[in-house]
Amino acid sequence: MRIGRFTIFITTLLLFLYITNLVVYEALASIFGLTTQLQLFLLGLGLGVLSGSFIVASIVGSYFYNWGTRVYYTLSAVWIGFFAYLFFASVLYGISVGITGALMPQVGMALIGLAVAVSIYGVLHARKIYIKEVKVALPNLPAQWKGRKAVWVSDLHLGQLHGPLFAKRVVDMINTLPHDVVFIGGDLYDGTGAPDIEELAQPLGKCKAPLGVYYITGNHEEYGDSERFLKAIRAAGIRTLIDEMVAIDELQLIGVDYRNASNTGAFEKILAGFSIDSGKPSILLKHEPKDLAVAEKAGISLQISGHTHRGQQWPFEYIARLVYKGYAYGLKRFKNMQVCVSSGTGTWGPPLRVGTNCEIVVFTFV
């Protein structure tokens, strides 16, 4: 079954890459007036090598971690982000040619320039981390929780792209914020074990909160030895919630493991086993905002999630909205439950943010 799914995935990926590269290839050949066999061969070879570079960088990066692999991974990831806008520019150029019936290299050059400008903006914008303030009114909230603050960070994706300095920067930002508890919502790591994951987790030990720091797993922790990731996180002094519920001053805090919670039936059994008290507020930390009906039925007051990155690059936000049925970002209500989804603190793949922000969410309970 797994081999079959993997084959389908690879076949689909290769077909997608072929089609998108063909569109860009035709557009670039037209815009720059490439006609000789050598010119067209070099263009096709260059696009093919660049398109496969991120896959190669990911494979190499899963075994080695050094200055060279980090630079190669970063450049390959930036290319993927730029290629998306280069593809859109190529499509627009093709449409303009189709409408006018004439080749317009000046228009094509302008569109390519726009793609470059947007990509540069995306790289620079992704380096800034925003603080997002969210007020939440929970039913039956105990008096001691009125005005308390919880910090949520997720999707740091520590690895080849984001290293210990990035982790330290995030922790320093958290420590400057007024807060009582910290939640780390999965995909702390990028999934590879090549970097020193203990070193990556070490800055987290400096993260302080009067009511504790709690962590749940994300899908990227499941790509490698998840227990090794958990061991490094625990060594940093972070409390892991692996299908557990803890009481913090009459508030029920629940954390679910990504692998277990990704199965609807298993997720339902996990929540049923907690005997959640509907007379007290409950917060569910769940990496991916899916199976909301299961959580709402179990009596959860607030579910906090990440994972979606809000699409990360425009216009992919619209795809994220479609996939997660309108719950890809922000604080919203699902029947009797509130759901808040963050766009994430880091980036995955292309280190670009266009139309979205890297963010740390600060909840104030009212």
Side-chain angles (χ1 to χ4, degrees):
M1 181 67 71
R2 289 184 178 180
I3 295 177
R5 289 178 179 175
F6 180 74
T7 302
I8 293 174
F9 170 76
I10 291 297
T11 302
T12 304
L13 176 62
L14 291 176
L15 181 61
F16 173 78
L17 288 175
Y18 174 77
I19 293 174
T20 53
N21 274 277
L22 183 60
V23 171
V24 173
Y25 170 88
E26 294 290 348
L28 293 181
S30 173
I31 293 169
F32 292 102
L34 306 181
T35 57
T36 69
Q37 287 188 346
L38 179 60
Q39 289 174 333
L40 295 174
F41 170 77
L42 291 176
L43 175 62
L45 179 63
L47 288 174
V49 170
L50 289 170
S51 294
S53 63
F54 184 68
I55 298 174
V56 175
S58 299
I59 295 173
V60 172
S62 65
Y63 294 98
F64 303 100
Y65 182 77
N66 52 54
W67 181 86
T69 61
R70 295 196 66 181
V71 170
Y72 178 45
Y73 186 97
T74 301
L75 293 177
S76 299
V78 170
W79 165 257
I80 293 299
F82 166 64
F83 181 78
Y85 293 116
L86 184 60
F87 171 74
F88 296 143
S90 299
V91 171
L92 289 176
Y93 176 71
I95 292 174
S96 67
V97 171
I99 293 175
T100 62
L103 299 179
M104 297 181 292
Q106 294 86 355
V107 173
M109 290 295 293
L111 288 170
I112 291 175
L114 180 61
V116 171
V118 171
S119 299
I120 292 174
Y121 162 79
V123 171
L124 296 176
H125 182 59
R127 297 177 62 84
K128 184 175 181 180
I129 300 175
Y130 291 79
I131 306 299
K132 182 178 177 63
E133 301 274 355
V134 177
K135 289 185 178 181
V136 181
L138 296 181
N140 306 314
L141 187 69
Q144 60 267 35
W145 272 94
K146 297 285 185 178
R148 278 183 173 173
K149 296 178 181 291
V151 170
W152 166 270
V153 294
S154 69
D155 305 279
L156 273 72
H157 291 280
L158 301 178
Q160 296 286 347
L161 193 60
H162 302 298
L165 292 179
F166 179 76
K168 181 180 183 302
R169 179 187 169 203
V170 172
V171 170
D172 288 345
M173 290 185 68
I174 292 173
N175 287 340
T176 61
L177 297 170
H179 65 278
D180 299 281
V181 64
V182 174
F183 304 141
I184 302 175
D187 280 6
L188 176 65
Y189 292 101
D190 213 17
T192 173
D196 186 338
I197 61 175
E198 288 76 17
E199 180 184 0
L200 290 176
Q202 195 171 17
L204 299 176
K206 303 292 184 180
C207 190
K208 304 299 181 184
L211 299 179
V213 182
Y214 298 87
Y215 162 86
I216 60 166
T217 56
N219 55 297
H220 278 259
E221 277 83 36
E222 302 295 346
Y223 294 162
D225 182 357
S226 60
E227 189 54 42
R228 185 186 170 199
F229 292 127
L230 291 173
K231 184 178 179 180
I233 292 165
R234 289 167 183 147
I238 306 300
R239 170 71 186 273
T240 60
L241 289 180
I242 308 299
D243 302 335
E244 297 177 68
M245 181 172 75
V246 296
I248 308 177
D249 286 350
E250 300 301 311
L251 183 143
Q252 302 164 107
L253 178 64
I254 301 164
V256 292
D257 178 63
Y258 177 83
R259 179 175 296 176
N260 296 335
S262 59
N263 179 281
T264 303
F267 177 47
E268 192 170 15
K269 289 181 180 179
I270 290 169
L271 293 186
F274 292 134
S275 300
I276 298 169
D277 186 349
S278 59
K280 298 178 181 179
S282 55
I283 297 178
L284 171 65
L285 308 181
K286 186 174 186 290
H287 180 67
E288 187 176 9
K290 60 176 290 191
D291 291 328
L292 301 181
V294 173
E296 191 272 341
K297 183 180 178 182
I300 296 297
S301 307
L302 170 67
Q303 175 175 321
I304 308 176
S305 297
H307 182 71
T308 69
H309 292 232
R310 199 182 178 181
Q312 194 163 301
Q313 287 182 239
W314 184 91
F316 301 118
E317 176 183 356
Y318 300 108
I319 297 177
R321 287 184 191 178
L322 182 64
V323 171
Y324 292 101
K325 302 175 182 179
Y327 292 91
Y329 180 72
L331 178 66
K332 298 183 179 179
R333 180 168 290 278
F334 182 87
K335 297 182 181 178
N336 295 319
M337 180 179 73
Q338 295 183 81
V339 182
C340 188
V341 182
S342 165
S343 63
T345 311
T347 58
W348 180 80
L352 278 71
R353 285 276 187 179
V354 179
T356 69
N357 297 328
C358 293
E359 64 183 23
I360 295 174
V361 182
V362 180
F363 292 96
T364 301
F365 300 104
V366 297

Short mmCIF file of all heavy atoms in Angstrom, two decimals, residues 77-125:
data_model
loop_
_atom_site.label_atom_id
_atom_site.label_comp_id
_atom_site.label_asym_id
_atom_site.label_seq_id
_atom_site.Cartn_x
_atom_site.Cartn_y
_atom_site.Cartn_z
N ALA A 77 15.69 26.29 -2.08
CA ALA A 77 14.37 26.64 -1.56
C ALA A 77 13.91 27.99 -2.10
O ALA A 77 12.73 28.16 -2.45
CB ALA A 77 14.39 26.65 -0.03
N VAL A 78 14.83 28.94 -2.17
CA VAL A 78 14.48 30.26 -2.73
C VAL A 78 14.06 30.11 -4.19
O VAL A 78 13.11 30.75 -4.64
CB VAL A 78 15.67 31.23 -2.60
CG1 VAL A 78 15.41 32.50 -3.41
CG2 VAL A 78 15.91 31.59 -1.14
N TRP A 79 14.77 29.26 -4.94
CA TRP A 79 14.42 29.05 -6.35
C TRP A 79 12.99 28.53 -6.49
O TRP A 79 12.23 28.98 -7.35
CB TRP A 79 15.38 28.09 -7.02
CG TRP A 79 14.83 27.58 -8.34
CD1 TRP A 79 14.29 26.35 -8.58
CD2 TRP A 79 14.72 28.31 -9.57
NE1 TRP A 79 13.86 26.27 -9.88
CE2 TRP A 79 14.10 27.45 -10.51
CE3 TRP A 79 15.09 29.59 -9.97
CZ2 TRP A 79 13.85 27.84 -11.81
CZ3 TRP A 79 14.83 29.98 -11.27
CH2 TRP A 79 14.22 29.11 -12.18
N ILE A 80 12.60 27.58 -5.62
CA ILE A 80 11.25 27.02 -5.70
C ILE A 80 10.22 28.13 -5.49
O ILE A 80 9.19 28.18 -6.19
CB ILE A 80 11.08 25.91 -4.64
CG1 ILE A 80 11.95 24.70 -4.97
CG2 ILE A 80 9.61 25.48 -4.55
CD1 ILE A 80 11.63 24.05 -6.31
N GLY A 81 10.48 29.02 -4.53
CA GLY A 81 9.56 30.12 -4.30
C GLY A 81 9.49 31.07 -5.49
O GLY A 81 8.40 31.51 -5.89
N PHE A 82 10.65 31.38 -6.05
CA PHE A 82 10.70 32.26 -7.22
C PHE A 82 10.05 31.59 -8.43
O PHE A 82 9.35 32.25 -9.22
CB PHE A 82 12.14 32.64 -7.54
CG PHE A 82 12.33 33.26 -8.89
CD1 PHE A 82 11.74 34.48 -9.20
CD2 PHE A 82 13.09 32.61 -9.87
CE1 PHE A 82 11.91 35.05 -10.45
CE2 PHE A 82 13.25 33.18 -11.13
CZ PHE A 82 12.66 34.40 -11.42
N PHE A 83 10.27 30.29 -8.59
CA PHE A 83 9.73 29.57 -9.74
C PHE A 83 8.20 29.66 -9.79
O PHE A 83 7.61 29.72 -10.87
CB PHE A 83 10.17 28.11 -9.70
CG PHE A 83 9.67 27.30 -10.88
CD1 PHE A 83 10.28 27.40 -12.12
CD2 PHE A 83 8.58 26.46 -10.75
CE1 PHE A 83 9.82 26.68 -13.20
CE2 PHE A 83 8.11 25.73 -11.83
CZ PHE A 83 8.74 25.84 -13.06
N ALA A 84 7.57 29.67 -8.60
CA ALA A 84 6.11 29.78 -8.56
C ALA A 84 5.66 31.06 -9.25
O ALA A 84 4.73 31.05 -10.07
CB ALA A 84 5.62 29.75 -7.12
N TYR A 85 6.34 32.18 -8.96
CA TYR A 85 5.95 33.46 -9.57
C TYR A 85 6.43 33.55 -11.01
O TYR A 85 5.81 34.23 -11.83
CB TYR A 85 6.47 34.61 -8.72
CG TYR A 85 5.77 34.65 -7.37
CD1 TYR A 85 6.48 34.45 -6.20
CD2 TYR A 85 4.40 34.85 -7.30
CE1 TYR A 85 5.82 34.46 -4.97
CE2 TYR A 85 3.73 34.86 -6.09
CZ TYR A 85 4.46 34.66 -4.93
OH TYR A 85 3.80 34.65 -3.72
N LEU A 86 7.53 32.86 -11.32
CA LEU A 86 7.98 32.80 -12.71
C LEU A 86 6.96 32.04 -13.55
O LEU A 86 6.69 32.40 -14.71
CB LEU A 86 9.35 32.12 -12.79
CG LEU A 86 10.02 32.06 -14.16
CD1 LEU A 86 10.25 33.46 -14.71
CD2 LEU A 86 11.35 31.31 -14.06
N PHE A 87 6.37 31.01 -12.99
CA PHE A 87 5.33 30.25 -13.67
C PHE A 87 4.09 31.11 -13.91
O PHE A 87 3.53 31.13 -15.02
CB PHE A 87 4.96 29.01 -12.86
CG PHE A 87 3.75 28.27 -13.37
CD1 PHE A 87 3.83 27.50 -14.52
CD2 PHE A 87 2.52 28.37 -12.72
CE1 PHE A 87 2.70 26.82 -15.01
CE2 PHE A 87 1.40 27.71 -13.19
CZ PHE A 87 1.50 26.93 -14.34
N PHE A 88 3.67 31.86 -12.88
CA PHE A 88 2.51 32.74 -13.04
C PHE A 88 2.78 33.80 -14.11
O PHE A 88 1.90 34.12 -14.91
CB PHE A 88 2.15 33.41 -11.72
CG PHE A 88 1.71 32.46 -10.65
CD1 PHE A 88 2.07 32.66 -9.33
CD2 PHE A 88 0.94 31.36 -10.96
CE1 PHE A 88 1.67 31.78 -8.34
CE2 PHE A 88 0.52 30.46 -9.98
CZ PHE A 88 0.89 30.68 -8.66
N ALA A 89 4.01 34.34 -14.11
CA ALA A 89 4.39 35.33 -15.11
C ALA A 89 4.34 34.72 -16.51
O ALA A 89 3.90 35.37 -17.47
CB ALA A 89 5.79 35.87 -14.81
N SER A 90 4.79 33.47 -16.63
CA SER A 90 4.78 32.79 -17.92
C SER A 90 3.36 32.56 -18.43
O SER A 90 3.07 32.71 -19.61
CB SER A 90 5.52 31.45 -17.81
OG SER A 90 6.87 31.65 -17.43
N VAL A 91 2.47 32.21 -17.50
CA VAL A 91 1.08 31.99 -17.87
C VAL A 91 0.45 33.30 -18.35
O VAL A 91 -0.24 33.34 -19.38
CB VAL A 91 0.28 31.43 -16.67
CG1 VAL A 91 -1.22 31.42 -16.99
CG2 VAL A 91 0.74 30.01 -16.34
N LEU A 92 0.71 34.39 -17.62
CA LEU A 92 0.16 35.70 -18.02
C LEU A 92 0.72 36.13 -19.38
O LEU A 92 -0.01 36.70 -20.21
CB LEU A 92 0.49 36.74 -16.95
CG LEU A 92 -0.26 36.62 -15.63
CD1 LEU A 92 0.23 37.66 -14.64
CD2 LEU A 92 -1.77 36.77 -15.85
N TYR A 93 2.00 35.86 -19.60
CA TYR A 93 2.60 36.20 -20.89
C TYR A 93 1.95 35.39 -22.01
O TYR A 93 1.63 35.94 -23.08
CB TYR A 93 4.10 35.92 -20.86
CG TYR A 93 4.78 36.15 -22.19
CD1 TYR A 93 4.95 37.43 -22.69
CD2 TYR A 93 5.22 35.06 -22.96
CE1 TYR A 93 5.56 37.65 -23.92
CE2 TYR A 93 5.83 35.27 -24.19
CZ TYR A 93 5.99 36.56 -24.66
OH TYR A 93 6.58 36.77 -25.88
N GLY A 94 1.74 34.11 -21.75
CA GLY A 94 1.08 33.27 -22.75
C GLY A 94 -0.32 33.75 -23.06
O GLY A 94 -0.76 33.75 -24.23
N ILE A 95 -1.05 34.20 -22.04
CA ILE A 95 -2.40 34.72 -22.25
C ILE A 95 -2.36 36.00 -23.09
O ILE A 95 -3.17 36.18 -24.02
CB ILE A 95 -3.09 35.00 -20.89
CG1 ILE A 95 -3.36 33.67 -20.16
CG2 ILE A 95 -4.40 35.77 -21.09
CD1 ILE A 95 -3.89 33.85 -18.76
N SER A 96 -1.39 36.89 -22.78
CA SER A 96 -1.28 38.14 -23.53
C SER A 96 -0.95 37.88 -25.01
O SER A 96 -1.48 38.55 -25.90
CB SER A 96 -0.22 39.05 -22.91
OG SER A 96 1.08 38.49 -23.05
N VAL A 97 -0.09 36.88 -25.25
CA VAL A 97 0.25 36.53 -26.63
C VAL A 97 -0.97 35.94 -27.34
O VAL A 97 -1.25 36.25 -28.51
CB VAL A 97 1.42 35.53 -26.67
CG1 VAL A 97 1.63 34.99 -28.09
CG2 VAL A 97 2.70 36.20 -26.19
N GLY A 98 -1.72 35.12 -26.59
CA GLY A 98 -2.91 34.52 -27.18
C GLY A 98 -3.96 35.55 -27.54
O GLY A 98 -4.66 35.42 -28.56
N ILE A 99 -4.11 36.58 -26.71
CA ILE A 99 -5.12 37.61 -26.96
C ILE A 99 -4.72 38.52 -28.12
O ILE A 99 -5.55 38.84 -29.00
CB ILE A 99 -5.35 38.46 -25.68
CG1 ILE A 99 -6.00 37.59 -24.59
CG2 ILE A 99 -6.22 39.68 -25.98
CD1 ILE A 99 -6.15 38.29 -23.26
N THR A 100 -3.46 38.93 -28.13
CA THR A 100 -3.00 39.89 -29.16
C THR A 100 -2.55 39.21 -30.45
O THR A 100 -2.53 39.83 -31.51
CB THR A 100 -1.84 40.74 -28.62
OG1 THR A 100 -0.72 39.88 -28.32
CG2 THR A 100 -2.25 41.48 -27.36
N GLY A 101 -2.14 37.94 -30.34
CA GLY A 101 -1.65 37.25 -31.51
C GLY A 101 -0.27 37.69 -31.93
O GLY A 101 0.17 37.41 -33.05
N ALA A 102 0.44 38.37 -31.02
CA ALA A 102 1.77 38.87 -31.35
C ALA A 102 2.71 38.64 -30.16
O ALA A 102 2.29 38.68 -29.01
CB ALA A 102 1.73 40.36 -31.69
N LEU A 103 3.98 38.38 -30.48
CA LEU A 103 4.98 38.23 -29.43
C LEU A 103 5.33 39.60 -28.86
O LEU A 103 5.56 40.56 -29.62
CB LEU A 103 6.24 37.56 -29.99
CG LEU A 103 6.06 36.16 -30.56
CD1 LEU A 103 7.39 35.64 -31.09
CD2 LEU A 103 5.50 35.20 -29.52
N MET A 104 5.37 39.70 -27.54
CA MET A 104 5.64 40.98 -26.88
C MET A 104 6.72 40.77 -25.81
O MET A 104 6.40 40.64 -24.62
CB MET A 104 4.37 41.53 -26.25
CG MET A 104 3.27 41.86 -27.27
SD MET A 104 1.79 42.56 -26.50
CE MET A 104 1.21 41.12 -25.59
N PRO A 105 7.98 40.68 -26.24
CA PRO A 105 9.06 40.43 -25.28
C PRO A 105 9.16 41.48 -24.19
O PRO A 105 9.56 41.16 -23.06
CB PRO A 105 10.32 40.43 -26.16
CG PRO A 105 9.93 41.06 -27.45
CD PRO A 105 8.48 40.80 -27.61
N GLN A 106 8.78 42.73 -24.47
CA GLN A 106 8.84 43.77 -23.44
C GLN A 106 7.87 43.47 -22.30
O GLN A 106 8.20 43.65 -21.13
CB GLN A 106 8.51 45.16 -24.04
CG GLN A 106 9.53 45.68 -25.04
CD GLN A 106 9.26 45.17 -26.45
OE1 GLN A 106 8.35 44.35 -26.66
NE2 GLN A 106 10.06 45.63 -27.40
N VAL A 107 6.70 43.00 -22.66
CA VAL A 107 5.71 42.61 -21.65
C VAL A 107 6.23 41.42 -20.84
O VAL A 107 6.11 41.39 -19.61
CB VAL A 107 4.36 42.26 -22.31
CG1 VAL A 107 3.39 41.69 -21.27
CG2 VAL A 107 3.77 43.49 -22.97
N GLY A 108 6.82 40.47 -21.54
CA GLY A 108 7.38 39.31 -20.86
C GLY A 108 8.49 39.70 -19.89
O GLY A 108 8.54 39.19 -18.75
N MET A 109 9.36 40.61 -20.29
CA MET A 109 10.44 41.05 -19.42
C MET A 109 9.88 41.77 -18.19
O MET A 109 10.38 41.61 -17.08
CB MET A 109 11.38 41.98 -20.19
CG MET A 109 12.21 41.29 -21.25
SD MET A 109 13.39 40.10 -20.54
CE MET A 109 14.50 41.22 -19.67
N ALA A 110 8.83 42.54 -18.39
CA ALA A 110 8.21 43.26 -17.27
C ALA A 110 7.60 42.27 -16.27
O ALA A 110 7.72 42.44 -15.05
CB ALA A 110 7.14 44.21 -17.79
N LEU A 111 6.98 41.22 -16.80
CA LEU A 111 6.38 40.21 -15.92
C LEU A 111 7.46 39.44 -15.15
O LEU A 111 7.29 39.14 -13.97
CB LEU A 111 5.53 39.24 -16.75
CG LEU A 111 4.22 39.81 -17.30
CD1 LEU A 111 3.59 38.85 -18.30
CD2 LEU A 111 3.25 40.10 -16.16
N ILE A 112 8.57 39.13 -15.83
CA ILE A 112 9.67 38.45 -15.15
C ILE A 112 10.26 39.36 -14.07
O ILE A 112 10.56 38.93 -12.95
CB ILE A 112 10.76 38.04 -16.16
CG1 ILE A 112 10.24 36.94 -17.07
CG2 ILE A 112 12.02 37.56 -15.41
CD1 ILE A 112 11.20 36.56 -18.18
N GLY A 113 10.40 40.64 -14.38
CA GLY A 113 10.89 41.59 -13.39
C GLY A 113 9.98 41.68 -12.19
O GLY A 113 10.45 41.77 -11.04
N LEU A 114 8.67 41.61 -12.43
CA LEU A 114 7.70 41.63 -11.34
C LEU A 114 7.84 40.38 -10.47
O LEU A 114 7.77 40.45 -9.24
CB LEU A 114 6.28 41.74 -11.90
CG LEU A 114 5.15 41.76 -10.87
CD1 LEU A 114 5.29 42.96 -9.95
CD2 LEU A 114 3.79 41.78 -11.57
N ALA A 115 8.04 39.23 -11.13
CA ALA A 115 8.22 37.97 -10.39
C ALA A 115 9.46 38.04 -9.50
O ALA A 115 9.45 37.58 -8.35
CB ALA A 115 8.33 36.80 -11.37
N VAL A 116 10.53 38.62 -10.03
CA VAL A 116 11.77 38.78 -9.25
C VAL A 116 11.53 39.70 -8.06
O VAL A 116 11.94 39.42 -6.93
CB VAL A 116 12.91 39.33 -10.13
CG1 VAL A 116 14.12 39.69 -9.27
CG2 VAL A 116 13.30 38.31 -11.19
N ALA A 117 10.84 40.82 -8.30
CA ALA A 117 10.59 41.80 -7.24
C ALA A 117 9.73 41.21 -6.12
O ALA A 117 10.02 41.40 -4.93
CB ALA A 117 9.91 43.04 -7.82
N VAL A 118 8.69 40.48 -6.51
CA VAL A 118 7.81 39.86 -5.51
C VAL A 118 8.58 38.82 -4.70
O VAL A 118 8.41 38.72 -3.47
CB VAL A 118 6.59 39.21 -6.19
CG1 VAL A 118 5.79 38.38 -5.20
CG2 VAL A 118 5.69 40.28 -6.80
N SER A 119 9.44 38.06 -5.36
CA SER A 119 10.22 37.03 -4.67
C SER A 119 11.21 37.65 -3.68
O SER A 119 11.37 37.15 -2.56
CB SER A 119 10.97 36.17 -5.68
OG SER A 119 10.06 35.51 -6.55
N ILE A 120 11.87 38.73 -4.08
CA ILE A 120 12.80 39.42 -3.18
C ILE A 120 12.05 39.95 -1.97
O ILE A 120 12.50 39.81 -0.82
CB ILE A 120 13.54 40.55 -3.91
CG1 ILE A 120 14.49 39.97 -4.97
CG2 ILE A 120 14.32 41.42 -2.92
CD1 ILE A 120 15.14 41.02 -5.84
N TYR A 121 10.89 40.56 -2.23
CA TYR A 121 10.05 41.02 -1.12
C TYR A 121 9.70 39.86 -0.19
O TYR A 121 9.75 40.00 1.04
CB TYR A 121 8.78 41.67 -1.65
CG TYR A 121 7.69 41.77 -0.60
CD1 TYR A 121 7.73 42.77 0.36
CD2 TYR A 121 6.66 40.83 -0.57
CE1 TYR A 121 6.73 42.84 1.34
CE2 TYR A 121 5.67 40.89 0.40
CZ TYR A 121 5.72 41.89 1.36
OH TYR A 121 4.75 41.94 2.33
N GLY A 122 9.33 38.71 -0.78
CA GLY A 122 8.93 37.55 0.01
C GLY A 122 10.04 37.06 0.92
O GLY A 122 9.79 36.70 2.08
N VAL A 123 11.27 37.05 0.41
CA VAL A 123 12.42 36.62 1.21
C VAL A 123 12.64 37.59 2.38
O VAL A 123 12.84 37.16 3.52
CB VAL A 123 13.69 36.53 0.34
CG1 VAL A 123 14.92 36.31 1.22
CG2 VAL A 123 13.55 35.39 -0.67
N LEU A 124 12.59 38.87 2.10
CA LEU A 124 12.83 39.88 3.14
C LEU A 124 11.69 39.89 4.16
O LEU A 124 11.92 39.99 5.37
CB LEU A 124 12.97 41.26 2.50
CG LEU A 124 14.18 41.44 1.56
CD1 LEU A 124 14.15 42.83 0.93
CD2 LEU A 124 15.49 41.20 2.30
N HIS A 125 10.46 39.76 3.67
CA HIS A 125 9.29 39.80 4.56
C HIS A 125 9.28 38.58 5.50
O HIS A 125 8.84 38.70 6.65
CB HIS A 125 8.02 39.83 3.72
CG HIS A 125 6.77 39.91 4.53
ND1 HIS A 125 6.51 40.94 5.40
CD2 HIS A 125 5.70 39.07 4.61
CE1 HIS A 125 5.33 40.75 5.98
NE2 HIS A 125 4.82 39.63 5.52
#
